[in-house]
Amino acid sequence: QESEPENKLDGETASDSESKSEFGGSSPVPSSDDTPEVLNRALSNLSSRWKNWWVRGILTLAMITFFFIIIYLGPMVLMTIVMCVQIKCFHEIITIGYNVYHSYDLPWFRTLSWYFLLCVNYFFYGETVTDYFFTLVQREEPLRILSKYHRFISFALYLTGFCMFVLSLVKKHYRLQFYMFGWTHVTLLIVVTQSHLIIHNLFEGMIWFIVPISCVICNDIMAYMFGFFFGRTPLIKLSPKKTWEGFIGGFFSTVLFGLLLSYVMSGYRCFTCPVEFNNDTNSFTVDCEPSELFQLQEYNIPVLLQSVVGWKTVRMYPFQIHSIALSTFASLIGPFGGFFASGFKRAFKIKDFANTIPGHGGIMDRFDCQYLMATFVNVYIASFIRGPNPSKLIQQFLTLRPDQQLHIFNTLKAHLVDRGILGSLEDA
Amino acid sequence: MSARRRRRAAAEQEEEEEEEEAAEAGSDKEVDLEERLHELDLRSDSDIPDVPPPTDSTPEILKRALSGLSARWKNWWIRGILSLAMISGFFLIIYLGSFMLMLLVLSIQVKCYHEIITIGYRVYHSYDLPWFRSLSWYFLLCVNYFFYGETVADYFATFVQRREQLQFLIRYHRFISFALYLTGFCMFVLSLVKKHYRLQFYMFAWTHVTLLITVTQSHLVIQNLFEGMIWFLVPISSVICNDITAYIFGFFFGRTPLIKLSPKKTWEGFIGGFFSTVVFGFIFSYFLAQHQYFVCPVEYNSETNRFVTECEPSELFQMKKYSVPPLLQAVLGWETVNMYPFQMHSFALSTFASLIGPFGGFFASGFKRAFKIKDFADTIPGHGGIMDRFDCQYLMATFVHVYITSFIRGPNPSKLLKQLLILQPEQQLSVYKTLKSHLVEKGILQPSLRG
């Protein structure tokens, strides 16, 4: 019984400091202990196994507290944090690439990687900023030009980087340089697109940011707990410490947690309203009439559950139904992101992505499951929740040619008459 | 040479160190010979065995016809004949219409993808990786499904409106595409096999980068095509013309090498090619701009179930008088000239094709040297694979697309319409009212007495 908990002490990352070293001479990650001195002293008398457990626990609480603080501080701070996390993840993965390929001394390569990161961020921020800050952009002349030719400017910037890459190819290092080029692009694809999707979700309403992220975190912790106490059957060869008991227990707890968290959050406007930029006060505001999703409704409980729960109807927010979908995804598919990262670490023989967080590893280690979640939430919102933005459509309409405008107007009119929304005799 | 030997020695030394440490590490991490060999691969370019030179796939008939000539001229003739054959094939397909062109673009895309993936298999000796071939083709299918759904749905809006099942597919298109992709992703994770992790990750990344390059570009080409065949023909012809004229100028006047990557390119060829391509672009656009067939956006006619290109030519394709700048007046002797505005745009397109397009070629050359292959494949005798012919086109397709969206047209009307139609009824009504008041204000719509 004593040996079992020892094996299950860790979740995502490879075994703790007691295990044998896994990497060869070219270890990319220095294995020094960077736990803060304070913690070291406070826990000095415990055995090293419990010490590790405590360090992880304390850091987990610290991260969760930090999360709450920045939520309190508002959307602007959240956006900045997302951006910092993105840059740090990019840096971690690129550094692994350098270490794997011993390519520190490749000419230009560091500069080019950061340059590409800048280009892609510029492109994405330009696309989002133009939508949300529309009036601000229209007012300032330089911003207006930048936004009108945005795609062209971004493409020109990217091309410059591409040409610099081609010119930097050096005879003996072609393969390495192509590898690093590929590595950079795949990293950009994963890290940057996802962080921008997170920001899109955030603008939809903070609840769309907080609930998914919390579900993933909850699933991590719950699966670990269930695995710790009840774990017996291994789940997948890739991560030998995951168990089916942890997986299923995590699933049910996360769904329940999602329902409860959504119930609490749906009551507050600051979480459910889309984030808007107020031109007069030049700040973000979250003030609106809550949409139907966030208004309590009566639901009939299916007959099966009636006997269990004892109620005939229940008052719930429609959003809670969506939260079931989000939690399900977080528990069932989210872990695949974690397995992918585990496979990646084994493939390149690294223990952790980096050493940023004591006891946990790098930022990527904490965020590996979040990535699939961000894309899922974004696709979910676009498909099931909101349609296109009407004011944006009107703006686009106004830039068309008159004959195109007329054609669209007539088609829309025919469609509305067809559906009976507009009576054919009405002069609206 | 000594650098190579030193690196080899260093690699061997590191290999020894790693072996010692791996032996200490215990049974968990057995040193895999295959993995170590691959590590060696990564450190020095020269350790990779050359891929055997592709077999000669020239058709028998050509061989007999040219059997009398010396080897150098024979190669020249084969290249020449195949070039003419490809150009004729190109004209034939243009004549056959937009639908055939779309099919052609799709086939080229699939073939390019296949060529690059095959190179990946050879480089990593990964033919026998479990699942990997199926997964690569599956991802190609997913990404194509996503892109075709986004573009095609816009253009076939009326066709789609009539069929219920298609409506469902269009409405939830992104979700369905994402679900398909996720399935592939999960299959990949489940297919990870202990000794082959690194290889599998490499092939995964290789597949994704290839998809990024080939599939997105081919869809941009199709979007350009729908804008008007001229936006498809002029850029592609400019790149081909630049290829050929740079080669000819280099052949006759070439002296100063251009870049170490491609030792046969010369500055004379580069500059000569630039000027010829610009002139060619001007003249070619002049001829194409006169025919509705090339100039009009491609539309799908639901009654005849065919593509039609019929419209009122936009301003771009109507002759205008331009004053010739004083410098050129002295040279040409005219004061004004009648040109299509499109010819000014063709100037931008040709410039890009000549100055930046070649970088796509250099990139492909670097890639071939990096992985020690002579050609991408053997498909076209004398020329190599399809990728060899299309490497310069890729940057061009993206450039034309970005150019069109930035400078020529605004947002796509059919896409706008599609989005309007999926709004909530109340939103549609309010949008309708706003649009109506706007149109009346501008005098585009006469305010009527009823309805």
Side-chain angles (χ1 to χ4, degrees):
Chain A
Q1 188 59 9
E2 183 75 324
S3 56
E4 275 180 57
E6 195 167 330
N7 284 338
K8 298 187 185 72
L9 265 181
D10 289 84
E12 300 286 307
T13 58
S15 44
D16 60 24
S17 47
E18 282 183 274
S19 77
K20 307 156 192 153
S21 111
E22 290 185 297
F23 31 93
S26 48
S27 155
V29 178
S31 43
S32 58
D33 180 20
D34 64 4
T35 332
E37 217 19 63
V38 189
L39 279 178
N40 263 332
R41 265 182 276 127
L43 306 167
S44 53
N45 47 348
L46 297 165
S47 78
S48 79
R49 180 172 60 96
W50 283 109
K51 178 167 152 190
N52 190 57
W53 215 95
W54 273 105
V55 169
R56 279 183 76 103
I58 290 174
L59 257 305
T60 309
L61 282 172
M63 289 194 289
I64 292 177
T65 316
F66 181 66
F67 187 42
F68 282 134
I69 291 177
I70 53 177
I71 289 173
Y72 177 72
L73 288 176
M76 187 69 194
V77 178
L78 267 172
M79 274 175 68
T80 320
I81 297 286
V82 170
M83 172 113 162
C84 298
V85 168
Q86 175 211 107
I87 293 179
K88 190 70 182 63
C89 287
F90 183 77
H91 176 68
E92 285 179 6
I93 301 182
I94 292 290
T95 311
I96 291 174
Y98 290 153
N99 289 323
V100 169
Y101 293 112
H102 310 282
S103 55
Y104 275 118
D105 29 332
L106 271 188
W108 284 96
F109 213 77
R110 291 173 162 238
T111 326
L112 273 176
S113 308
W114 289 108
Y115 179 79
F116 281 126
L117 177 69
L118 207 75
C119 281
V120 182
N121 265 316
Y122 175 76
F123 172 67
F124 277 114
Y125 270 110
E127 298 267 303
T128 13
V129 162
T130 316
D131 293 342
Y132 292 111
F133 291 82
F134 188 69
T135 25
L136 175 69
V137 165
Q138 294 293 76
R139 262 195 316 210
E140 315 281 336
E141 200 43 40
L143 285 183
R144 204 174 64 78
I145 296 182
L146 278 183
S147 122
K148 190 167 166 169
Y149 298 110
H150 180 250
R151 287 198 176 183
F152 192 76
I153 295 173
S154 313
F155 184 59
L157 287 175
Y158 176 81
L159 267 190
T160 315
F162 182 85
C163 295
M164 294 307 311
F165 169 71
V166 171
L167 292 172
S168 78
L169 289 172
V170 173
K171 190 160 182 183
K172 294 221 171 48
H173 299 286
Y174 290 149
R175 189 181 276 225
L176 273 184
Q177 291 182 290
F178 272 93
Y179 279 155
M180 287 311 294
F181 188 76
W183 190 287
T184 305
H185 278 68
V186 177
T187 312
L188 283 173
L189 197 71
I190 299 175
V191 172
V192 181
T193 51
Q194 304 272 358
S195 79
H196 279 273
L197 292 177
I198 290 182
I199 292 182
H200 268 287
N201 298 342
L202 179 71
F203 271 85
E204 223 18 62
M206 302 238 299
I207 200 173
W208 291 103
F209 172 79
I210 296 173
V211 168
I213 291 187
S214 318
C215 286
V216 174
I217 295 175
C218 169
N219 182 267
D220 256 0
I221 296 175
M222 288 294 141
Y224 178 77
M225 296 271 171
F226 274 86
F228 186 84
F229 290 115
F230 307 114
R232 208 149 294 133
T233 342
L235 181 61
I236 186 173
K237 263 191 263 171
L238 205 44
S239 292
K241 298 194 182 71
K242 304 273 183 193
T243 57
W244 275 102
E245 289 85 5
F247 189 67
I248 294 178
F251 168 59
F252 284 111
S253 345
T254 308
V255 170
L256 205 61
F257 170 81
L259 281 171
L260 290 172
L261 184 70
S262 326
Y263 182 76
V264 169
M265 290 202 143
S266 300
Y268 297 94
R269 268 201 290 193
C270 68
F271 294 126
T272 61
C273 289
V275 175
E276 268 151 36
F277 184 74
N278 191 325
N279 297 302
D280 313 306
T281 61
N282 265 7
S283 66
F284 289 103
T285 50
V286 272
D287 215 7
C288 66
E289 197 54 49
S291 81
E292 313 189 304
L293 271 183
F294 303 105
Q295 288 167 7
L296 276 175
Q297 273 179 33
E298 295 258 342
Y299 285 92
N300 294 322
I301 299 190
V303 186
L304 297 126
L305 284 180
Q306 266 187 25
S307 41
V308 174
V309 178
W311 298 323
K312 287 232 175 67
T313 62
V314 67
R315 288 172 67 79
M316 276 202 327
Y317 294 100
F319 180 77
Q320 291 183 272
I321 311 280
H322 292 297
S323 83
I324 295 181
L326 298 181
S327 322
T328 308
F329 185 87
S331 330
L332 299 185
I333 311 288
F336 277 90
F339 300 149
F340 186 84
S342 295
F344 179 84
K345 285 188 281 191
R346 278 171 204 277
F348 295 99
K349 297 189 172 29
I350 53 180
K351 179 178 181 292
D352 285 321
F353 278 91
N355 244 356
T356 324
I357 312 175
H360 286 267
I363 300 270
M364 259 316 276
D365 288 293
R366 290 300 93 212
F367 285 84
D368 49 23
C369 293
Q370 300 282 1
Y371 280 120
L372 289 177
M373 192 77 208
T375 317
F376 175 75
V377 175
N378 191 275
V379 171
Y380 189 86
I381 294 178
S383 304
F384 300 113
I385 310 292
R386 70 163 164 81
N389 183 357
S391 32
K392 183 171 177 182
L393 290 180
I394 292 180
Q395 287 159 24
Q396 288 185 333
F397 182 85
L398 296 176
T399 64
L400 289 175
R401 294 195 312 256
D403 57 308
Q404 292 172 317
Q405 290 181 343
L406 206 56
H407 169 72
I408 289 185
F409 178 76
N410 287 329
T411 316
L412 182 64
K413 181 170 182 178
H415 172 86
L416 286 176
V417 167
D418 209 29
R419 297 289 168 103
I421 301 167
L422 189 69
S424 55
L425 295 179
E426 251 176 65
D427 190 5
Chain B
M1 279 301 126
S2 62
R4 216 186 273 179
R5 246 183 284 134
R6 254 184 276 130
R7 217 171 323 122
R8 215 199 181 101
E12 282 175 4
Q13 195 184 23
E14 277 190 82
E15 188 193 353
E16 283 175 36
E17 276 176 53
E18 199 166 295
E19 225 178 322
E20 289 174 30
E21 241 154 339
E24 288 172 25
S27 52
D28 238 54
K29 289 277 152 215
E30 3 185 291
V31 174
D32 187 31
L33 188 66
E34 204 179 359
E35 303 240 314
R36 271 196 294 124
L37 276 180
H38 281 287
E39 244 159 33
L40 252 183
D41 280 356
L42 300 173
R43 287 184 214 135
S44 60
D45 257 11
S46 52
D47 293 340
I48 317 305
D50 277 329
V51 170
T55 51
D56 183 15
S57 65
T58 332
E60 218 18 67
I61 184 170
L62 274 180
K63 273 206 205 136
R64 264 183 275 130
L66 305 167
S67 54
L69 300 163
S70 76
R72 182 170 62 96
W73 281 109
K74 181 164 150 193
N75 191 55
W76 216 94
W77 272 105
I78 292 178
R79 279 183 75 102
I81 289 174
L82 259 304
S83 302
L84 282 173
M86 289 193 288
I87 294 177
S88 321
F90 187 44
F91 281 136
L92 184 69
I93 299 195
I94 293 170
Y95 176 72
L96 288 176
S98 328
F99 187 67
M100 292 304 296
L101 268 171
M102 273 176 69
L103 279 184
L104 179 70
V105 171
L106 181 65
S107 333
I108 290 178
Q109 176 212 106
V110 172
K111 191 72 181 63
C112 285
Y113 182 78
H114 176 68
E115 285 179 5
I116 301 183
I117 292 290
T118 312
I119 291 175
Y121 289 153
R122 277 210 296 252
V123 169
Y124 293 111
H125 312 285
S126 57
Y127 276 120
D128 30 333
L129 270 187
W131 284 97
F132 213 79
R133 288 171 166 240
S134 336
L135 273 176
S136 308
W137 289 108
Y138 179 79
F139 281 126
L140 178 68
L141 207 75
C142 282
V143 181
N144 265 316
Y145 175 76
F146 172 68
F147 276 115
Y148 271 108
E150 296 268 304
T151 32
V152 163
D154 296 343
Y155 293 108
F156 288 82
T158 30
F159 180 76
V160 163
Q161 291 291 72
R162 279 183 297 182
R163 288 158 180 67
E164 265 313 301
Q165 314 92 316
L166 287 185
Q167 281 260 33
F168 176 77
L169 281 181
I170 298 290
R171 222 203 135 103
Y172 298 110
H173 180 251
R174 286 198 179 184
F175 192 77
I176 294 173
S177 313
F178 184 59
L180 288 175
Y181 176 81
L182 268 190
T183 315
F185 182 86
C186 295
M187 293 307 311
F188 168 71
V189 172
L190 293 172
S191 78
L192 288 173
V193 174
K194 189 163 182 181
K195 292 215 173 48
H196 300 287
Y197 290 149
R198 190 182 276 225
L199 272 184
Q200 291 182 290
F201 272 93
Y202 279 155
M203 287 311 295
F204 187 77
W206 191 285
T207 305
H208 279 68
V209 177
T210 312
L211 283 172
L212 198 72
I213 299 177
T214 55
V215 180
T216 52
Q217 303 273 357
S218 82
H219 281 274
L220 291 177
V221 168
I222 290 181
Q223 284 199 292
N224 297 342
L225 178 70
F226 271 86
E227 208 42 44
M229 300 237 297
I230 198 172
W231 290 104
F232 172 79
L233 290 174
V234 168
I236 290 187
S237 324
S238 300
V239 174
I240 295 174
C241 169
N242 182 265
D243 254 359
I244 296 175
T245 49
Y247 178 76
I248 293 178
F249 272 85
F251 188 83
F252 289 116
F253 308 112
R255 206 152 295 133
T256 342
L258 180 59
I259 187 172
K260 264 191 259 164
L261 206 44
S262 292
K264 293 194 187 73
K265 307 270 182 194
T266 56
W267 275 102
E268 290 82 6
F270 188 69
I271 295 178
F274 169 61
F275 284 110
S276 341
T277 309
V278 170
V279 171
F280 168 80
F282 256 60
I283 298 177
F284 193 52
S285 328
Y286 180 78
F287 284 114
L288 287 184
Q290 293 166 356
H291 299 97
Q292 266 192 354
Y293 182 67
F294 296 120
V295 153
C296 290
V298 175
E299 269 152 36
Y300 181 75
N301 190 325
S302 22
E303 285 112 50
T304 61
N305 265 7
R306 292 175 54 229
F307 287 103
V308 290
T309 48
E310 252 173 43
C311 65
E312 197 55 48
S314 81
E315 315 187 304
L316 270 184
F317 303 104
Q318 289 166 10
M319 285 268 223
K320 272 172 45 178
K321 274 185 123 62
Y322 284 91
S323 316
V324 179
L327 296 125
L328 286 179
Q329 263 187 29
V331 173
L332 292 172
W334 299 320
E335 278 185 10
T336 60
V337 67
N338 274 329
M339 272 200 334
Y340 293 101
F342 180 77
Q343 291 182 271
M344 305 302 284
H345 293 299
S346 84
F347 180 72
L349 299 180
S350 319
T351 308
F352 185 87
S354 330
L355 299 187
I356 311 290
F359 277 89
F362 300 149
F363 186 84
S365 296
F367 180 85
K368 285 188 281 191
R369 277 170 205 280
F371 296 99
K372 293 187 174 23
I373 52 180
K374 180 179 179 291
D375 285 321
F376 278 92
D378 250 350
T379 326
I380 313 176
H383 286 267
I386 300 271
M387 259 317 275
D388 288 292
R389 288 303 92 213
F390 285 85
D391 49 23
C392 294
Q393 299 282 1
Y394 281 119
L395 288 177
M396 192 76 208
T398 317
F399 175 76
V400 174
H401 183 80
V402 171
Y403 190 86
I404 293 178
T405 47
S406 302
F407 299 114
I408 310 291
R409 71 164 164 82
N412 182 1
S414 11
K415 194 175 185 117
L416 193 61
L417 189 60
K418 174 184 108 170
Q419 290 186 318
L420 278 174
L421 293 175
I422 62 181
L423 284 176
Q424 304 292 331
E426 318 84 55
Q427 292 174 315
Q428 283 180 343
L429 204 54
S430 84
V431 167
Y432 172 78
K433 290 181 186 159
T434 318
L435 295 187
K436 182 166 184 177
S437 60
H438 169 82
L439 286 176
V440 166
E441 202 185 299
K442 297 271 170 150
I444 300 167
L445 187 70
Q446 303 306 319
S448 54
L449 296 169
R450 326 173 308 159

